[in-house]
Every structure is written in structure tokens, then in C-alpha cells.
Amino acid sequence: MINDPEYISGVMSLRKPQVKSLNILDSILKTVTPHKGMNLTEALASVHSLYPTCTDFERDFMSLTFALATGVGKTRLMGAFIAYLYTNHNIRNFFVTAPNTTIYEKLKRDLGEPESLKYVFNGLDCFNSLPEIFTEDDYRTRQITFNEAYGVRIFIYNIDKFNREDARMKRANEILGESFYNYLSALNDLVLIMDESHHYRAERGMAALNELKPVLGLELTATPIVNKGSKQIHFKNVVYEYPLSKAIEDGYTRTPFATTRADIKAYNFGDEELDKIMLKDGIILHEDAKIALKNYAISSGRKIVKPFMLIVCKDTNHAEWVNSYVTSDKCSHGYYKDKTLVIHSKQKGAESDENMRLLMDVENPKNPIEIVIHVNMLKEGWDVNNLYTIVPLRTATSKILREQMVGRGLRLPYGERTGDSVVDSVKMTAHDKFSEILEAARKGDSIFKAGNVINIEDLEKNASPQLTFAFPSANNDEAYKYTKLSQSPELDNTFDKLRITIQLKVEDGIQDEKPLEKVVAETLEEAKDLGQTYKDNANPLNSWVRNETERTYEKAKHHFIPIPQIKITSTGVEDYGFDDFDLELSAFNHTPIGDDKIVIQNLIDAGDKQFIKGGRIDFDTVKPVEVLLTELYKKPEIDYEKASALALKLVKSVCDKYNGLYDINGLRNIVMMNKYDIVNEIYTQMLQHLHQTNGFLQEEVFKNRERNIKPNYKYKQEANLYDTITGNISSILFTGIKKGVFSSAKFDSYHGELTFARLLENDKDVQNWLRPAPLEFNITYGTGRRYEPDFVVETDKIIYLTEVKGEDRLNDPDVQAKKERGIKYCEIASRWGKANGFKDWRYLFIPADEIKANSTFGQLVQRFAKQVDI
């Protein structure tokens, strides 16, 4: 039958998720008939029974969301919806919204231009005549009459313009005889179709669309989520979701790859050097795609697809520099001079219009543009299917941004996979973040792996976000007394949560600003999970909060470590220099890196890694001695005036070694691929020959800090101090600390700092311990660098400034310099303490490997504490 969903799906060659969406709409409308004044509560119950992920229409009319991955074909699905609603439900009026100008222009073309290759109604013979399109100011200039014989009318509007024109659209005009708003809202069959509907959830947009009073809303988006501040709010009216991971699995996208140079260490290159390498390799990949696409078109007899490369820059100045380099004779002998397009917000007038025309026409084989240089991510709706190479220069700072960039190149130019690995791929250069991108792509939350955003289990779990509590155990006499007073059956773990809140506020030092019980009460009232419980039980809980706060504060007053603050007064001139020496050249054993391979790694299939010839990186103009000296002079102690002769001698000795082994080209390759490693080794050896005098520096204690500074930690996850942890622990915040000044801390190493913290927690000799914040101490060393100790440990008679270091760093000059300053601090603090009735200080320097599970603090002190001169 001509109106059957199966017929429409077949004629329009719909993909599986499009067919599924059309069938879902059909099943809903067989149960619920949309009409003016319909009972939305009953309609929602019916839809929810069919599709449980729809729990709220979220608008003043029946609105359904179809969340389909980018590239699956949402615009074509719109056309199928319109054809179905017209043929099955006699709906003739459709209002289609776009979130920006790009999508607006695309919708006008795809829904209203039969000559366009992407015209969605091609092949359909269900209309008496083609749908009539109304856009922009048509409501003021064209007669909008209804002719049943004519058929379907589609009103297409950019939501921004729609919002701006809001007042004008509500005025009566001569053409209609009433306002455009009134005309539309009076229609008995107006269906609202919202493209990228996550843009229409702001208050103003919601209100404007509600006033249209459609009988039905159909929302299309790839991201059924709205960001509100730091929170993500999921759509509640989703009836079907088809994520990108499923689209990749079903073969509706190209395969994403990350690429880099074999054996390259990106940190050895400056920004401009790395940019040039990534641009060159991007062009190699682009040319490879051009050849593959041309060969495929010839062998298959299909259309020729002209690929282009997208370069994403950090700002407009960067974009202009990239353009000047790519179009110069230094890059591909000037081949891209007339084939590059720069797009950024500073372009105005005719230049901007012409560039946008070329951009929107970039799929046309006759369009000369092969490279698009852009500052920010291009807006949604730029739906090209010939983007094959992406070069993010100094911009791919976040996982989301990188995934968005790759997402631009996932559309299939032939609408299906061809079996040709190059034709079916999109490649992103990632020289500086290759490993990071591979790791992120393989995680469960990657767009390439993640499943549905909307899950019925989550909806059911959050359907009644009501906090429920049971009584605390009766053996907690103090808490139980207050619980009985409240006569509330809703308390469960409340007192534990209150105690944590109070403890954190005490640690933050809030008591200096206002009475702490008031601060805690205000905090609890704001807290989502405790606020209502607090209000419902205010009188008894106020008393408990006050008592608990006072108890915690009294405990906290004695639970800190007094840190003497040192004032340094200079009465002379600081002097330092380097003794002459020869480098130990055996430490320099780099070899030229084979630089002719580009690694291409599949982001979906870890086993799919390929290599192609990349050509030699051009180091012909590099001056190795100058390169190394420039980096060496960036080190803080190496002053040009004082150390130039020694620095030149040392750098030349390294270069002479590599030049003798590998010739000048080998030397250039080694220096450019390893310059920071080479310089760091020279610097390390120089520090061993540093002599330094502080002139006449007078150090004295000027005050004793009466509270410790709470560190402001950034972390990705929390764990208990005693949890079993594997891998890198530097991003973990450890909680559950009892004996420490603060209840949480971070550590850099497992077999060292974390093991030591566990030892301190359980050692009978330890009273307090602290992971000091960066500004807790005023200790400097070298040429003014700040020393931040690892731990402070307080016992009955002595406070220990403690450093835990791995065996490989015990003799590091930097570590030794810190140790000397730490010992000096302890001498000054002890002298002041003896005169003012405070504890002595000692410096404790412990090799990490000496900290065992059965170690005691006293034993470590006996072996590793340093004597000080008091």
C-alpha cells in the first residue's frame, strides 16, 4: 500500500534505525490519536506502556524524541515522518525548526529543492504535488492559503530568528488577516519537527514552541542530554535511541583511525615544529585518500568523491600562519596555493559569504578546495561526507573535543561501506596525544563504545528521587536520643553524613568566619540529600548539630601541626657557578630514528594497526649546537654570562660524538628527535658540579601558623586509604584518614608515599601527620625555587619534616639541594621552638624501598633522621 510504513521505507531506502523509528511512530499513533485538547496524561500513560523510556513529554503537547547517531540520516527520517503522517493521518502542516543558520540552509535544500541530490522526497509518489515550502519572511509577503488538492505545507525556521521575530510574528498582517502565530496555533493538524532538539530546551525556546500549540512534536537529536551548569539532564521523552557505537557496529559509518610518526617523542618539538610535521603527515594521508577514492571510482563505475582535509587551529592568528605555510613553496612545492580555505569569525562581508559558499559546496568535485582551515569546531549541520583527514593543531585538549572532530568524518560518501579500507576510513593526526587518544577510545564511555544514554533502569531508579532513612543503631546512644526526639522514620545514616559535613567544614577553617553550627545548618539546607530531612527535623537536629560541631571543633583545635614560618632577609649577594668538568658521554646513546613510517591505528579494533611510508622529516636547516644551547639556557641555574663557555663545551662534546658515529644528518635527526632528553642529561650532570653561596642570608621564625592549610585537590576518583589499588594512583583522592590532620590526601607513589601514610595511621608513636599544601612552608632553594616537603609527622616530643624518595633519585642534585634546605629549616625551627616552648624539628629522609608493611616509625627515625645543629 502507498501509505504503508514498509512501502515508504522501501521507496526511500531507509536504513534499519530509520525504519525502526518510523515503525515506532506508527505503533504509537495507532494507540494515541494526536489532536487539539488531547488528554496528555492518558497519552503519556499509553506511550510509556509501549516505550518505558518515555516518562514525560516535557512540553505542553505530546512530544517524542528519536535519538539517532550523527550520520545515520535524521533529515531523511524527517521526510519519512512527513510522508507517513500525510498519507496515514491526513496531516498537511509541518513546522520544522533548525538551531542555526547552517542547519536551516541545509533543511531548506533537503526538504525544498527537488534538484538537490539530497532531496528527501525523491521517489515518493504519495503527494498530489510536491510539498510547498515557507521560510524567512514568507508569512509577511506570501499568501498562505490552504488548498486540499495542493497537499503538504512545510514551514522551516531558524529557532534564533524565530525567537527574534517573536513579537513581529504575533502582529496582524495584511496577507493573513491575523498574526502568523495565531494562524499556526489555530491549525488543527500542525506537527512540530525539531532538528537537533537539545537546542530547544531553554526557557525562551520552550515557551515559543509551546505557543504554537501543535498536535504532535517530533524531536531528532544525536545527544538526548541538556547541560545545566556541571550537570547533565537526560531527556525524558525518548522513545528510541540508536547510539554511534551501534551505528559503527552496523556499518553505517566509516572507521576512525588515529595516526602518528613511528618512534616520535612529540615533547622534543616546539609548537611550530610539531605543527609542520602534523601538517606534512596530514597531507600524505590526504593524498593517499585521493588516490584510493579515484581508483575505487574507476574500478566500481561509481561517482568520483573528492576528499578534503580539515585543519583545526587554536585562534585566528594561528590559522593565518597555517594558511601561509600550507600555501607556500615550502609545503608540497606550493601545490595547495589555490586549494585552501580559511574559516573564522573575524571574516566579514563578501569574504565571509564567498568562503561559506565554498565551504557548503566542498563536496562538489568541481570545487577546488582541498584543505579547510578552521579555528573552532564547525557548527552542527555541516553534514559533509568527504572529510577524510583531520589535523588538530594544539586544540585537542579534551576527550569530547577530539571525539567531536572525528565524528565529522564518519559519514559514508556512497551511503554504505565499500570494502576498501581507505575509502571506508577517516584519519586524525595525533602525534602529541596518540597514546591518550587510544586509551580514551577503548574506555566504556567513549562515543565509539558507549551504548544508550537513556536507560529504563536509570529512569526507574530515579523515578522517585525521595530520600529514605531508617533509624541509626540503638547502641549509638547520643544519635539515637536525637532520632527518638524527631519521631521520624526517615532517618538512615543521616548522622554519619552530618558528621562528615561538620568535619569537612572544620577542616576548611570556616569557624573563623561565622559560628560553625550556622555554617553547617546552611550547608545542610542547600544539600540535595540532607536538606529536606534537616528542615523536617530542625529542632532536635539543631541541638545535635550544635553539640557535634563543638565537639569536632574542640578536637580539631588540637588536631593540627604548628608550622613555624620563616622570614629570610638578604644582607649580601647570592653567588653560584659551575666547576669545569667533562661530560660522562656514555649516558648519551641515542640513535637516529627511522622517520619514514606513519602509524595508523584503528580506534575501534585494537588489533588493526597499519604502517605507510611517510617520507623523511626535513631537518636539513637544523643547527644542532644552537638547538641544544637554546634549550639548556632555559634551565634556571644556567646563566648565559656565567656558564656560556662550559655550556658550549659540553654541548659540542655531545654533538661531536653523534656526528662521528652517524654523520651530520644522523646528528640532526638525533638532536631534533631527542633534544629535551639530551639537554636534561647535560643539565643533570652540570648540577653535580654546581657551587652556591647564599651570600649573607638571615633566616628567622616570625610566627607560628595556628592552623594548617587544607590542600585543594583535583582528582578523578576516591578510594579508602586501605583499598587495594593497582596502576597509577596520582589521580586518586584517598579518604578515611583518622590520624592525619585532614581526612583525605593524594599521593604520587604506591610503594612509598601511600605505604608510608598507612604506616603513620597505625603507628603508636605518631600523634598527627600531614601532607602539606604547597604554601604551607616558606622554604626556597637553588635560585628561588619553592621546596614542598612530602610529609610532616608529629610525635610526643619531635616534629619530623619528612621526604620519601625512590632509590633512583637519592643522589639527584635537585633532591640533595632540597635536603640541605630541609635540614636548615629544622635547625631554625628547633632553635625558635626551644626558646618559645614548642617541639624540636628533625629532617627525615627515607628511601622508598625501605618502607615495608611491617616497618615502624621509630625504626625509620633511628635509621634515617638527620642531626641538626641547634
Side-chain angles (χ1 to χ4, degrees):
M1 294 175 61
I2 198 168
N3 64 345
D4 189 275
E6 186 176 346
Y7 167 80
I8 295 172
S9 298
V11 170
M12 297 186 71
S13 300
L14 298 185
R15 293 170 167 174
K16 284 194 302 184
Q18 295 166 323
V19 173
K20 177 76 171 177
S21 299
L22 187 59
N23 287 336
I24 286 173
L25 180 62
D26 180 50
S27 67
I28 290 173
L29 297 191
K30 283 179 177 175
T31 305
V32 180
T33 302
H35 60 274
K36 292 279 190 181
M38 64 189 296
N39 187 317
L40 293 180
T41 303
E42 292 180 1
L44 178 61
S46 297
V47 175
H48 178 70
S49 67
L50 293 170
Y51 303 101
T53 53
C54 182
T55 59
D56 191 332
F57 291 145
E58 299 193 90
R59 302 184 189 273
D60 292 348
F61 51 89
M62 176 176 164
S63 192
L64 312 171
T65 291
F66 297 82
L68 274 65
T70 298
V72 170
K74 292 190 286 295
T75 309
R76 194 159 192 79
L77 180 57
M78 279 186 209
F81 282 162
I82 290 170
Y84 165 78
L85 290 169
Y86 170 61
T87 56
N88 284 266
H89 297 276
N90 199 33
I91 291 175
R92 298 166 180 264
N93 292 288
F94 299 88
F95 193 94
V96 180
T97 60
N100 56 50
T101 302
T102 305
I103 294 180
Y104 169 69
E105 294 295 336
K106 170 183 175 294
L107 290 174
K108 286 201 303 182
R109 182 179 62 247
D110 293 354
L111 293 173
E113 297 180 7
E115 65 277 9
S116 169
L117 293 175
K118 295 183 179 181
Y119 183 59
V120 298
F121 299 119
N122 274 329
L124 282 172
D125 56 1
C126 59
F127 302 111
N128 294 330
S129 56
L130 294 179
E132 188 177 9
I133 306 297
F134 295 87
T135 63
E136 294 284 355
D137 298 331
D138 285 347
Y139 71 94
R140 286 190 283 159
T141 59
R142 285 175 58 190
Q143 187 72 41
I144 304 178
T145 58
F146 180 70
N147 183 347
E148 189 165 325
Y150 196 83
V152 169
R153 297 182 300 179
I154 303 175
F155 303 88
I156 306 174
Y157 280 87
N158 180 344
I159 192 65
D160 289 335
K161 182 176 179 62
F162 187 68
N163 286 337
R164 287 196 304 271
E165 290 271 318
D166 185 58
R168 185 176 292 180
M169 288 180 174
K170 290 178 179 176
R171 297 178 196 157
N173 66 68
E174 295 180 2
I175 302 294
L176 287 174
E178 60 181 325
S179 75
F180 185 49
Y181 248 103
N182 287 344
Y183 176 78
L184 291 175
S185 62
L187 293 172
N188 290 320
D189 64 343
L190 183 67
V191 169
L192 178 59
I193 301 179
M194 293 160 271
D195 197 10
E196 305 295 352
S197 68
H198 53 281
H199 290 284
Y200 316 135
R201 301 239 161 182
E203 214 169 290
R204 185 177 176 187
M206 289 280 259
L209 297 177
N210 282 335
E211 287 182 26
L212 288 174
K213 300 177 182 177
V215 297
L216 175 65
L218 300 175
E219 305 188 36
L220 297 164
T221 182
T223 52
I225 295 173
V226 176
N227 292 315
K228 290 188 177 180
S230 60
K231 294 182 179 180
Q232 289 192 326
I233 310 298
H234 293 170
F235 282 24
K236 297 177 183 177
N237 64 343
V238 174
V239 292
Y240 180 51
E241 185 178 3
Y242 185 79
L244 180 60
S245 58
K246 185 63 175 169
I248 292 172
E249 179 185 329
D250 289 343
Y252 293 135
T253 69
R254 282 187 266 150
T255 303
F257 288 82
T259 71
T260 188
R261 278 275 172 160
D263 302 313
I264 196 171
K265 298 175 184 176
Y267 61 80
N268 276 301
F269 297 91
D271 287 344
E272 187 171 312
E273 294 165 346
L274 189 60
D275 281 356
K276 287 180 178 179
I277 294 172
M278 290 178 70
L279 288 168
K280 178 181 177 181
D281 290 352
I283 287 172
I284 290 171
L285 296 168
H286 169 67
E287 294 295 336
D288 190 48
K290 275 170 65 175
I291 293 171
L293 284 162
K294 182 177 180 181
N295 290 340
Y296 176 77
I298 292 171
S299 63
S300 66
R302 303 177 83 167
K303 67 176 182 179
I304 292 178
V305 172
K306 181 208 73 175
F308 77 96
M309 179 168 84
L310 175 65
I311 304 171
V312 186
C313 301
K314 67 173 185 176
D315 55 38
T316 54
N317 291 333
H318 188 208
E320 294 300 338
W321 175 85
V322 169
N323 185 50
S324 66
Y325 174 73
V326 170
T327 57
S328 71
D329 292 336
K330 295 179 182 179
C331 180
S332 302
H333 307 289
Y335 172 79
Y336 293 100
K337 268 181 183 169
D338 301 316
K339 298 177 172 60
T340 302
L341 179 66
V342 181
I343 299 287
H344 57 69
S345 59
K346 290 186 179 180
Q347 294 168 338
K348 305 295 180 185
E351 178 191 22
S352 177
D353 292 342
E354 175 60 15
N355 284 355
M356 286 306 298
R357 185 192 67 78
L358 289 169
L359 179 65
M360 299 308 295
D361 194 41
V362 76
E363 290 175 321
N364 188 339
K366 295 180 180 179
N367 184 331
I369 300 303
E370 292 188 37
I371 297 178
V372 173
I373 302 171
H374 201 272
V375 173
N376 295 313
M377 288 306 301
L378 295 163
K379 291 182 178 180
E380 292 167 312
W382 190 54
D383 298 338
V384 293
N385 58 29
N386 62 331
L387 173 56
Y388 270 81
T389 310
I390 303 166
V391 182
L393 300 179
R394 297 181 241 166
T395 60
T397 55
S398 74
K399 168 179 170 291
I400 293 174
L401 183 58
R402 291 193 297 264
E403 290 181 343
Q404 286 176 338
M405 280 190 273
V406 173
R408 292 291 181 199
L410 292 178
R411 286 180 172 81
L412 295 163
Y414 294 103
E416 61 185 4
R417 289 183 180 167
T418 64
D420 185 300
S421 61
V422 178
V423 175
D424 294 341
S425 70
V426 57
K427 298 182 176 72
M428 179 170 71
T429 60
H431 294 47
D432 55 341
K433 298 184 182 294
F434 186 73
S435 298
E436 181 183 331
I437 287 172
L438 295 190
E439 182 181 352
R442 290 164 189 166
K443 289 182 177 178
D445 63 348
S446 161
I447 62 169
F448 311 124
K449 300 288 187 183
N452 287 7
V453 171
I454 312 297
N455 294 297
I456 185 58
E457 293 84 0
D458 295 335
L459 291 173
E460 289 175 345
K461 184 170 59 179
N462 298 322
S464 179
Q466 193 172 9
L467 196 63
T468 56
F469 295 103
F471 285 106
S473 59
N475 58 13
N476 187 342
D477 294 336
E478 191 67 16
Y480 188 64
K481 179 177 70 174
Y482 289 99
T483 305
K484 289 188 70 175
L485 281 173
S486 73
Q487 293 296 305
S488 169
E490 295 185 342
L491 296 175
D492 176 28
N493 300 326
T494 301
F495 292 99
D496 289 336
K497 293 185 178 184
L498 294 178
R499 285 193 183 96
I500 292 171
T501 301
I502 292 168
Q503 181 180 359
L504 292 174
K505 291 300 175 184
V506 169
E507 288 183 359
D508 286 338
I510 299 295
Q511 69 271 14
D512 296 337
E513 301 172 14
K514 63 172 82 171
L516 185 55
E517 63 268 20
K518 185 176 180 181
V519 175
V520 173
E522 291 172 355
T523 303
L524 293 175
E525 289 180 7
E526 294 172 1
K528 180 179 179 181
D529 58 346
L530 290 177
Q532 191 58 48
T533 299
Y534 183 80
K535 289 177 182 178
D536 291 345
N537 301 275
N539 290 333
L541 284 180
N542 269 331
S543 177
W544 184 86
V545 166
R546 183 164 52 254
N547 291 343
E548 184 68 16
T549 298
E550 290 174 358
R551 186 186 68 80
T552 305
Y553 180 49
E554 284 302 312
K555 179 182 177 183
K557 283 200 301 186
H558 304 287
H559 201 46
F560 80 99
I561 302 177
I563 306 292
Q565 300 298 291
I566 291 179
K567 178 174 68 176
I568 302 174
T569 306
S570 176
T571 58
V573 179
E574 181 182 58
D575 185 34
Y576 68 92
F578 293 92
D579 299 323
D580 187 37
F581 74 101
D582 294 323
L583 283 175
E584 177 54 61
L585 290 173
S586 61
F588 301 90
N589 49 21
H590 304 92
T591 58
I593 295 175
D595 60 352
D596 63 341
K597 290 182 181 178
I598 294 178
V599 183
I600 303 174
Q601 174 63 60
N602 190 323
L603 292 178
I604 310 300
D605 180 1
D608 182 7
K609 179 186 286 188
Q610 308 161 24
F611 297 89
I612 65 171
K613 191 171 180 60
R616 187 171 63 89
I617 299 176
D618 182 11
F619 296 134
D620 291 349
T621 61
V622 167
K623 298 177 180 179
V625 173
E626 287 186 17
V627 169
L628 295 179
L629 281 174
T630 298
E631 294 304 322
L632 192 58
Y633 287 137
K634 293 178 182 178
K635 300 298 183 181
E637 294 86 358
I638 302 180
D639 180 84
Y640 179 80
E641 296 293 333
K642 295 181 178 180
S644 59
L646 178 62
L648 180 61
K649 167 191 165 182
L650 300 179
V651 166
K652 277 189 171 181
S653 68
V654 174
C655 291
D656 287 346
K657 173 180 178 176
Y658 287 135
N659 191 32
L661 289 172
Y662 303 109
D663 72 30
I664 185 62
N665 290 325
L667 168 62
R668 287 170 175 156
N669 179 287
I670 289 171
V671 168
M672 291 307 294
M673 301 296 267
N674 305 278
K675 64 181 176 183
Y676 290 123
D677 294 340
I678 294 171
V679 167
N680 285 337
E681 179 58 34
I682 295 174
Y683 173 60
T684 298
Q685 292 195 33
M686 287 183 74
L687 287 179
Q688 294 172 11
H689 299 274
L690 174 69
H691 63 259
Q692 180 174 334
T693 59
N694 288 326
F696 299 99
L697 294 181
Q698 181 177 334
E699 298 177 304
E700 59 181 341
V701 176
F702 68 94
K703 70 175 181 178
N704 202 30
R705 193 191 298 278
E706 295 183 353
R707 56 179 292 265
N708 299 123
I709 301 171
K710 186 175 182 181
N712 183 21
Y713 292 123
K714 293 183 179 179
Y715 57 95
K716 293 183 178 179
Q717 67 180 88
E718 291 186 11
N720 185 273
L721 186 69
Y722 298 100
D723 285 349
T724 301
I725 304 294
T726 58
N728 188 354
I729 68 168
S730 60
S731 64
I732 301 174
L733 180 68
F734 289 89
T735 60
I737 295 171
K738 305 296 185 185
K739 195 174 282 189
V741 172
F742 299 113
S743 58
S744 61
K746 282 182 64 179
F747 308 100
D748 296 325
S749 61
Y750 189 104
H751 298 293
E753 293 182 355
L754 178 58
T755 305
F756 187 62
R758 291 170 174 172
L759 178 156
L760 298 176
E761 276 287 283
N762 294 291
D763 195 285
K764 63 181 178 59
D765 293 333
V766 175
Q767 292 182 343
N768 285 331
W769 64 272
L770 172 71
R771 284 282 281 170
L775 297 179
E776 187 76 70
F777 288 87
N778 180 32
I779 306 176
T780 59
Y781 72 104
T783 54
R785 284 182 288 174
R786 182 176 289 275
Y787 172 33
E788 300 172 8
D790 290 336
F791 291 87
V792 180
V793 183
E794 184 179 13
T795 62
D796 182 42
K797 295 181 178 179
I798 297 175
I799 299 174
Y800 294 89
L801 189 68
T802 306
E803 196 73 20
V804 177
K805 282 290 172 282
E807 295 285 344
D808 59 330
R809 297 196 60 203
L810 295 182
N811 297 314
D812 187 297
D814 191 67
V815 171
Q816 291 298 315
K818 291 177 181 177
K819 182 166 76 172
E820 289 179 12
R821 293 296 293 122
I823 293 172
K824 183 68 174 176
Y825 173 88
C826 290
E827 290 176 353
I828 297 166
S830 292
R831 284 197 292 269
W832 181 85
K834 185 179 288 290
N836 291 276
F838 288 92
K839 295 179 181 180
D840 286 347
W841 282 72
R842 295 289 185 275
Y843 192 74
L844 184 58
F845 186 84
I846 310 175
D849 288 352
E850 297 295 331
I851 302 172
K852 310 294 184 183
N854 61 343
S855 296
T856 63
F857 186 70
Q859 172 205 32
L860 293 173
V861 166
Q862 286 183 7
R863 295 179 61 194
F864 300 111
K866 306 299 177 184
Q867 292 298 317
V868 298
D869 183 14
I870 302 176

